[in-house]
Amino acid sequence: MPIVHSDLLNEYDVLDWMHGQKTDESIQEVERDELLSLIDTQDFLGVVFYVEDDPNTPKILRHIELIDDEAADYGILLVKCSDRLMAKKFGFRNPPGVTYFRKGKSINYDGDIDDEEELLDWLTDPHNMEMTDHIEKVNRKMFQKIRQASDYLAVFFYSDDCKQCPRVLAEIEHIDDEADGAGINFVKIDDKQMAKELGVYALPGIVFFKLSSKEPVIYAGDLNDEDEILNWLMTQKNPGGDVIEDLDGPKLLALIEDSNALAVYFWNKTTCEACFTKGAKKQRKAKERKGLLDAATSAEVVDDGEETEGDAPSTPPPTPPPAAAPSSVEDTDECEQCSGVLESLENIDDDCDRHGIMFVKTDDLSIAEQYGISEYPVLVYFEDNVPNVFEGSLDEEEEVLQWLITQKTEDRIELITRVMLESMVDETQYLAVYFYKINCNICDQILEGLEVIDDELDVFGIHMVKIQDPQLAKRYSIKTFPALVYFRNGNPLIYEGDLQNEQSVLEWLVDDDNRELADEIEEVNERMLDRLMEQSPLLCVFYYDEDCAECDDILEELELIDGEVDLYGIDFVKVASLDAAHKYGVTTIPSLVYYRKQIPMLYDGDMHDHERVMNWLTSQDVFEIKNEIEEVNRKMLNKLLDENEFLAVYFFEEDHEESEAVLERLELIDSETDNLDITFVKMGDPRYARKWGVTKLPAIVYFRKRFPSIYRGDMYDEQDVLEWLRKNRFRQPELNIFMYALIALGLGFVIYTAFLLQCFKPAPPAPVPHPKQN
């Protein structure tokens, strides 16, 4: 209590002092003993620890004094203390600092102490005012704040002069944690006037508030039956009594296959029920020892394993046989976790329905094993039959809900198990698998980058998943993490580039050379087909339908020439999309269309004859494009040399200005060369050009029955090139110096051999004399 230190004989000094005390809004100063007493007696106490000699102290205290009265409206007493030992005891070695005591339990403020509004919000936050194992006492002001922040709120109205209130309060203290676990905040208020305003005229009373409803609901049942109160609260929260549906067997498998947004909670139901029942008995006996339950109530056992929301428990379930009970405390805790998690997930079932996510539960272990699940409980999200395992804590229902919503609204990289991967490798044509390990910062950073390109990969028909399995990684020769493996129809390819550069990863995955498989026609979607149309000068597309009976036979036949077609520089792909077919003017299925720089040519022959298809694809009539010099590779050039008596080849260098300029001029005479029956093609292969004696590019080589002749004139003068080709076309092939030298050497060798034979010819034998001459 403040004491006047002025002159009592001076009435003006006394008046000024009294006026100052009335208008003074400073925070009360307390000593050590008084502080300890306040901690024991005050429900909500805020203590400002400060240093008297600190020049910043007056400023800090002025800020906090601005919220002193408003904090008092919430039932929070603010005091200040300069005792350094007390400050150190509660965690402040270097004051200033603020400690908040709730029934003696303290938490320290770690925000900006100069921001009085932030401090007030922190002090009045319902989570900070909450006291463990107790129903929080609040006043009218605090109730209004909690009401606005709570989806579901239960209020226990009582009075100090009510004899029945303490006993009822002791009963409902037992269900405070269960209500909180179900998302229902529970508080108590000692305010008769407020109770009457809400329609409670006899205390004690319980009123339930729902954020979506303006009108509260008053409990009219037995206040001494805690189980009935809890069931009533659950019913008020969810009047429909909807619970997570239990499915198993073919029904669940069909649902997984057909649903595009399905959450499945896998749990070992039998074991969990037995363990949870045993755990419930253990908790009930502990309450008996504390004197909180009477003998009659202690005989009951609550079976929450099968209980549904909104339904009151019926007869107590029988005690499970000893074989079903866990053999250790660890087993009991694990089983209790299954049921506890299920209760938490029941709270978000309706929220999932609102977001279009179907939620079911199952204890069908055979289905769980199909997805490589061996530890329970676990939550798996299925979208279009693709599984994704939840990595976080299933006890955090809000985290689970947010994860499910994210999976539904965003395309995220799915976490899978080994069994899931083996199945996906067999069933998915293009699959990128990110191998990583837990507690790896670089793995998490790279994963965030891969999430950026995940949507783009989906467009190209590449599915990306992630997995934590070091043993499986060894199968693919992965020794360091993270790593990326690309499966093309089950064939793995390891990425050896920089995983931190997601654009490089994207380009590597969509690269045609990496996607392409030997002797197998590549499957593409509409987006990939568009990309190939733009990039591939020679493209053959087989349009088909998965429901087409003859398409499989045709594909089997066409697979025989896929590798050979690739040798000719022709990209061969297949598309099972009617939309893509209609986009490119294909009206009949199946169809085979050859695109030469996006110029289509429909094959009208027998697609079951692969040799005929091959001849058609590589025939010169199909290959040529009018008024354009076609580019060839080595295989195609050799074929043209075999089939054409007259052939002109323009050898050039890629991305070379002179080569491009010359090509523009030569394109002007392409039709004239056709009239001369000279096939004119181009080839960007400098090494192959050397085979024909070409050492400087660009160059033109004319072949007459495979006999080469090199143009020595000005290639920018297309008319001179044309005239040179015309002369070579209608005269005997010219012999270059090398050929003349060969002929001269050959003639010289023949003459020299004849000379030697003549010079070293042996003399003829002497004639034999006739006998008569002798």
Side-chain angles (χ1 to χ4, degrees):
M1 179 179 295
I3 302 175
V4 62
H5 297 285
S6 302
D7 185 4
L8 292 176
L9 297 177
N10 189 332
E11 64 275 15
Y12 294 105
D13 289 345
V14 175
L15 181 62
D16 290 340
W17 177 84
M18 295 175 64
H19 181 71
Q21 294 300 317
K22 180 180 179 182
T23 58
D24 184 21
E25 297 180 354
S26 61
I27 302 174
Q28 178 185 351
E29 176 78 29
V30 296
E31 301 296 335
R32 183 181 304 179
D33 294 339
E34 189 176 1
L35 174 59
L36 293 174
S37 176
L38 289 173
I39 292 174
D40 292 337
T41 57
Q42 290 290 327
D43 287 341
F44 303 106
L45 175 68
V47 182
V48 183
F49 293 104
Y50 70 98
V51 178
E52 291 182 345
D53 299 334
D54 190 344
N56 293 323
T57 295
K59 176 185 175 183
I60 293 172
L61 291 177
R62 280 198 301 272
H63 280 286
I64 298 177
E65 285 167 359
L66 296 176
I67 62 172
D68 181 27
D69 292 340
E70 193 166 356
D73 292 339
Y74 286 95
I76 304 170
L77 175 63
L78 278 180
V79 297
K80 59 186 177 182
C81 180
S82 59
D83 191 320
R84 295 291 294 271
L85 290 177
M86 293 299 291
K88 184 177 180 181
K89 177 180 178 181
F90 293 107
F92 295 107
R93 294 181 176 272
N94 298 305
V98 179
T99 300
Y100 190 20
F101 296 90
R102 298 84 36 85
K103 283 283 186 182
K105 297 186 178 182
S106 63
I107 54 173
N108 289 338
Y109 176 62
D110 58 359
D112 184 3
I113 199 170
D114 290 328
D115 190 338
E116 65 275 7
E117 293 298 332
E118 180 183 345
L119 176 59
L120 180 63
D121 288 340
W122 179 77
L123 290 170
T124 59
D125 188 292
H127 295 290
N128 290 332
M129 296 190 73
E130 183 175 327
M131 296 174 290
T132 308
D133 300 329
H134 290 283
I135 296 177
E136 292 75 34
K137 178 182 178 181
V138 300
N139 57 16
R140 184 186 293 253
K141 181 89 172 180
M142 193 62 212
F143 163 76
Q144 293 173 353
K145 184 163 188 174
I146 296 176
R147 173 77 176 91
Q148 295 173 356
S150 302
D151 290 332
Y152 308 102
L153 175 64
V155 180
F156 175 68
F157 285 98
Y158 71 102
S159 175
D160 290 338
D161 56 3
C162 170
K163 296 181 180 180
Q164 188 183 4
C165 291
R167 183 161 56 85
V168 174
L169 181 60
E171 287 290 326
I172 62 176
E173 288 280 6
H174 301 157
I175 63 172
D176 180 33
D177 292 340
E178 287 87 344
D180 187 62
I184 303 173
N185 289 334
F186 218 136
V187 297
K188 59 184 178 182
I189 300 177
D190 182 6
D191 191 330
K192 292 182 179 180
Q193 182 60 36
M194 183 179 175
K196 290 180 180 179
E197 292 174 2
L198 295 172
V200 179
Y201 296 98
L203 299 181
I206 299 177
V207 182
F208 182 83
F209 295 85
K210 201 171 186 178
L211 187 61
S212 58
S213 176
K214 294 182 179 180
E215 298 297 327
V217 182
I218 301 172
Y219 176 65
D222 184 2
L223 287 169
N224 294 309
D225 190 337
E226 63 190 59
D227 292 331
E228 184 179 340
I229 296 173
L230 180 61
N231 287 324
W232 176 81
L233 290 174
M234 296 297 184
T235 303
Q236 295 305 315
K237 177 192 172 185
N238 186 8
D242 293 335
V243 295
I244 298 178
E245 185 179 1
D246 198 344
L247 289 178
D248 55 17
K251 290 184 179 179
L252 178 59
L253 291 174
L255 188 62
I256 291 174
E257 185 174 353
D258 298 337
S259 178
N260 60 357
L262 174 67
V264 181
Y265 175 65
F266 291 94
W267 67 315
N268 194 332
K269 181 178 178 182
T270 304
T271 308
C272 285
E273 283 182 350
C275 297
F276 188 74
T277 302
K278 183 175 180 180
K281 288 182 176 180
K282 184 177 179 181
Q283 293 177 358
R284 190 59 61 92
K285 289 180 180 179
K287 292 180 180 180
E288 289 177 12
R289 288 195 296 269
K290 294 180 181 180
L292 298 178
L293 293 177
D294 54 28
T297 310
S298 64
E300 298 177 358
V301 176
V302 180
D303 180 10
D304 286 337
E306 279 294 305
E307 181 179 342
T308 60
E309 291 182 3
D311 296 330
S314 57
T315 58
T319 303
S327 59
S328 67
V329 176
E330 293 180 359
D331 293 337
T332 302
D333 294 339
E334 182 178 355
C335 294
E336 288 178 2
Q337 181 189 8
C338 288
S339 296
V341 167
L342 183 57
E343 289 182 1
S344 298
L345 297 181
E346 295 280 5
N347 298 328
I348 63 172
D349 184 28
D350 292 340
D351 296 302
C352 291
D353 290 339
R354 285 194 291 271
H355 286 89
I357 303 172
M358 188 174 182
F359 212 135
V360 299
K361 62 185 176 184
T362 184
D363 65 335
D364 192 331
L365 305 186
S366 61
I367 295 180
E369 290 173 358
Q370 293 182 26
Y371 295 99
I373 298 171
S374 58
E375 297 181 0
Y376 304 94
V378 66
L379 180 67
V380 182
Y381 175 79
F382 293 90
E383 185 168 317
D384 297 326
N385 207 16
V386 178
N388 190 4
V389 182
F390 178 65
E391 295 181 81
S393 173
L394 287 170
D395 293 326
E396 300 294 335
E397 60 201 56
E398 292 300 328
E399 180 183 344
V400 174
L401 177 61
Q402 188 59 46
W403 179 79
L404 288 173
I405 294 173
T406 301
Q407 300 306 311
K408 176 68 167 59
T409 57
E410 302 178 13
D411 287 330
R412 308 290 291 182
I413 298 176
E414 297 87 5
L415 174 67
I416 61 174
T417 63
R418 179 183 301 193
V419 175
M420 294 177 189
L421 175 60
E422 292 172 349
S423 175
M424 295 182 74
V425 167
D426 293 337
E427 297 174 358
T428 308
Q429 187 170 20
Y430 299 106
L431 178 68
V433 182
Y434 177 64
F435 287 87
Y436 71 110
K437 58 183 180 180
I438 59 176
N439 301 324
C440 170
N441 292 331
I442 189 65
C443 295
D444 296 337
Q445 293 175 11
I446 292 175
L447 183 59
E448 289 299 320
L450 296 179
E451 292 283 5
V452 176
I453 64 172
D454 185 37
D455 292 343
E456 188 74 10
L457 291 175
D458 289 339
V459 172
F460 286 104
I462 303 172
H463 191 71
M464 180 173 278
V465 297
K466 58 186 178 182
I467 188 171
Q468 299 174 1
D469 195 328
Q471 296 300 321
L472 181 64
K474 292 180 181 178
R475 182 188 301 177
Y476 302 106
S477 302
I478 297 174
K479 298 180 180 179
T480 58
F481 294 90
L484 184 68
V485 181
Y486 189 20
F487 293 90
R488 297 84 35 82
N489 285 358
N491 297 282
L493 182 65
I494 299 178
Y495 178 67
E496 298 178 352
D498 183 9
L499 279 172
Q500 292 182 293
N501 188 339
E502 61 270 13
Q503 291 304 318
S504 297
V505 176
L506 175 63
E507 292 174 3
W508 181 79
L509 288 172
V510 302
D511 185 83
D512 294 339
D513 294 335
N514 292 329
R515 289 169 58 93
E516 190 172 309
L517 295 172
D519 301 326
E520 188 168 333
I521 299 176
E522 179 185 359
E523 174 84 29
V524 298
N525 57 15
E526 186 175 343
R527 175 66 181 274
M528 193 62 190
L529 180 60
D530 294 340
R531 184 171 179 269
L532 287 172
M533 286 288 187
E534 296 175 359
Q535 297 182 353
S536 179
L538 301 175
L539 177 65
C540 182
V541 183
F542 176 64
Y543 295 95
Y544 74 105
D545 189 357
E546 294 180 350
D547 298 329
C548 170
E550 65 172 333
C551 290
D552 292 338
D553 296 335
I554 295 175
L555 268 175
E556 187 176 348
E557 193 74 16
L558 295 179
E559 296 281 3
L560 300 175
I561 62 172
D562 178 51
E564 191 175 357
V565 167
D566 288 338
L567 296 177
Y568 286 96
I570 303 172
D571 291 322
F572 204 161
V573 298
K574 58 186 177 183
V575 181
S577 171
L578 296 179
D579 292 337
H582 294 157
K583 180 177 181 179
Y584 289 100
V586 177
T587 57
T588 58
I589 300 294
S591 289
L592 187 67
V593 184
Y594 188 22
Y595 296 90
R596 293 84 38 84
K597 288 195 173 181
Q598 301 187 32
I599 299 175
M601 179 173 286
L602 179 66
Y603 176 68
D604 57 359
D606 183 9
M607 286 184 284
H608 293 84
D609 187 345
H610 69 274
E611 292 183 357
R612 184 175 179 183
V613 173
M614 184 67 198
N615 292 333
W616 177 76
L617 287 172
T618 57
S619 65
Q620 189 168 330
D621 294 338
V622 175
F623 172 76
E624 286 183 344
I625 303 175
K626 290 184 179 181
N627 300 323
E628 186 173 334
I629 299 176
E630 295 80 21
E631 185 172 357
V632 297
N633 60 9
R634 296 184 184 187
K635 181 78 172 178
M636 194 66 187
L637 178 59
N638 288 328
K639 186 175 187 296
L640 291 174
L641 287 172
D642 292 336
E643 295 177 348
N644 291 272
E645 185 177 358
F646 311 109
L647 177 69
V649 182
Y650 172 64
F651 290 98
F652 67 98
E653 289 183 276
E654 298 283 352
D655 301 325
H656 188 257
E657 292 184 2
E658 183 181 0
S659 296
E660 293 177 358
V662 172
L663 181 60
E664 289 181 3
R665 306 300 301 177
L666 296 179
E667 294 279 6
L668 300 176
I669 62 172
D670 182 49
S671 58
E672 284 83 349
T673 58
D674 289 340
N675 295 333
L676 294 173
D677 197 24
I678 300 175
T679 301
F680 205 159
V681 296
K682 61 185 178 183
M683 187 176 190
D685 191 338
R687 296 182 61 183
Y688 200 64
R690 296 192 187 101
K691 176 181 179 181
W692 310 104
V694 176
T695 58
K696 182 181 178 181
L697 298 181
I700 300 174
V701 180
Y702 172 73
F703 294 89
R704 182 188 183 99
K705 294 184 178 180
R706 276 189 173 269
F707 193 82
S709 179
I710 302 175
Y711 175 68
R712 307 291 181 181
D714 182 9
M715 284 185 292
Y716 284 96
D717 189 347
E718 69 276 8
Q719 293 302 323
D720 186 45
V721 174
L722 180 63
E723 186 62 26
W724 176 78
L725 290 173
R726 182 181 291 111
K727 290 179 180 179
N728 279 278
R729 167 69 176 81
F730 294 108
R731 74 178 182 182
Q732 296 299 323
E734 62 180 27
L735 301 178
N736 55 28
I737 296 176
F738 178 72
M739 297 301 296
Y740 279 120
L742 289 177
I743 294 173
L745 288 173
L747 290 175
F749 178 76
V750 171
I751 294 172
Y752 180 69
T753 302
F755 173 76
L756 291 176
L757 292 174
Q758 186 65 31
C759 291
F760 294 98
K761 184 178 180 182
V768 179
H770 197 272
K772 291 183 177 184
Q773 294 178 345
N774 294 334

